[in-house]
Amino acid sequence: MATKANSVAHPTLVQVDPFIPADQQKGLHNRWHPDIPPYATVKPGEVFNIECVDWTGAQIGNNDTSDDIKNVDLTKIHNLSGPIAVEGAEPGDCLVVDILDVRPFDKMPWGYTGIFELTNGGGLFAREFNSKAAKAIWDFEGVYATSRHIPGVRFAGVSHPGLIGTAPSPELLATWNAREGALIEANANAVPPVAYGPLETGAYVGQDNIPDAIRKKIAREGARTVPGREHGGNCDIKNLSRGSRCYFPVFVKGANLSVGDLHFSQGDVKLSFCGAIEMRWGTWGYIARHASRSLPEPL
């Protein structure tokens, strides 16, 4: 006979509501900074689940207008779940994360693709085409997606995180800000911008136990989440899906892993800035399997 005693569910460390703005929820943050404390801690090898909102934090709706894409507030992106600390992880270690599963919210079986305005986000060819906002809503039926805005198309998705990485050290954060600040200064009049520097407006850390002085420091110095960097970050790799093993450098005690920007699917590249099918995800399954100074043997 089955009993509860030997049927213990894996813990869900971050729980979110996909219908509530991200800046009203706990366990989320939208800047990279070493002073953001871990929201939860796991032991090496522990299986755990995380829930995630979409990258805009519920700014985009299931409707037939692209006004929400046109007017999206980019100071509030990306909304990441975490950080999750791993016991024993120290700077200089390698953190190995196994992605075990990807499941959407049952109550929100849809996502969206967007083309962004030249003056608000843009994309790779935004200037050449003077990009205007457009949006397609995709409905999910198991592994398949269809869209009323792109009739006659049905395909199976490869779901994955667009963004996953560890927290930077103070030294690495300073390197990022100096490097990207110089790029922004050298291209001050670029439309769309070549990069997004630290910005207090829109910065958010969904934890109550942070002193005001530290919270302001995070907002003032925190790196934006738009690019990929030495720690992982916004990598947008379509095959980083269920069954993948990821290797991340550790820069702070505990590693402080965060994840977000979930995609139902995407191509090999994203030309329109929002070229994946963006989604809120109900459950992610992970194992932070190793936190050691030598890489483990492959499976």
Side-chain angles (χ1 to χ4, degrees):
M1 176 180 177
T3 64
K4 291 183 178 180
N6 59 6
S7 302
V8 180
H10 300 307
T12 299
L13 304 182
V14 179
Q15 294 181 298
V16 300
D17 188 324
F19 301 113
I20 296 177
D23 58 7
Q24 299 176 25
Q25 303 198 56
K26 303 300 181 185
L28 303 177
H29 63 98
N30 62 9
R31 299 290 191 271
W32 293 112
H33 198 284
D35 290 344
I36 299 176
Y39 186 73
T41 300
V42 298
K43 297 181 182 299
E46 182 179 348
V47 178
F48 58 94
N49 297 318
I50 293 177
E51 295 179 350
C52 299
V53 299
D54 79 299
W55 72 294
T56 71
Q59 294 187 59
I60 309 302
N62 185 349
N63 50 49
D64 299 320
T65 176
S66 61
D67 288 349
D68 46 11
I69 292 285
K70 179 179 179 179
N71 300 315
V72 65
D73 186 349
L74 297 178
T75 71
K76 297 182 176 181
I77 62 168
H78 298 81
N79 296 278
L80 311 180
S81 295
I84 307 300
V86 181
E87 289 184 6
E90 297 288 344
D93 288 351
C94 175
L95 182 71
V96 182
V97 179
D98 291 340
I99 300 176
L100 304 179
D101 200 4
V102 183
R103 299 191 299 274
F105 282 104
D106 291 336
K107 59 185 176 183
M108 185 175 282
W110 62 271
Y112 61 90
T113 303
I115 296 176
F116 276 57
E117 288 276 315
L118 169 63
T119 54
N120 188 30
L124 186 60
F125 298 110
R127 285 172 292 181
E128 289 78 0
F129 291 98
N130 190 24
S131 293
K132 303 297 182 184
K135 182 177 73 179
I137 297 295
W138 295 88
D139 295 307
F140 305 142
E141 297 176 345
V143 299
Y144 294 101
T146 60
S147 174
R148 63 184 182 271
H149 299 124
I150 309 177
V153 174
R154 178 178 183 263
F155 66 93
V158 180
S159 302
H160 58 277
L163 205 158
I164 182 171
T166 52
S169 65
E171 296 79 12
L172 184 58
L173 177 62
T175 297
W176 291 351
N177 287 340
R179 182 174 66 199
E180 292 163 25
L183 180 64
I184 294 168
E185 184 177 358
N187 299 271
N189 298 318
V191 178
V194 297
Y196 292 94
L199 184 66
E200 294 185 50
T201 301
Y204 179 69
V205 180
Q207 299 188 45
D208 295 328
N209 59 337
I210 303 176
D212 287 343
I214 298 298
R215 193 179 297 275
K216 291 178 181 178
K217 185 172 184 282
I218 293 168
R220 184 175 64 252
E221 301 174 351
R224 304 293 296 280
T225 56
V226 177
R229 299 184 179 93
E230 291 89 333
H231 68 143
N234 196 12
C235 41
D236 286 336
I237 299 172
K238 71 174 185 178
N239 292 322
L240 190 66
S241 187
R242 181 171 60 181
S244 294
R245 170 168 283 188
C246 317
Y247 298 82
F248 297 101
V250 176
F251 299 103
V252 301
K253 183 179 178 63
N256 286 1
L257 179 77
S258 297
V259 62
D261 186 24
L262 284 304
H263 301 160
F264 178 81
S265 202
Q266 71 168 53
D268 291 320
V269 294
K270 294 173 65 178
L271 301 181
S272 64
F273 190 55
C274 187
I277 299 179
E278 309 288 345
M279 185 55 190
R280 295 88 160 165
W281 289 104
T283 305
W284 272 77
Y286 295 93
I287 298 179
R289 189 179 297 278
H290 298 278
S292 62
R293 294 184 181 274
S294 60
L295 292 177
E297 292 297 321
L299 289 177

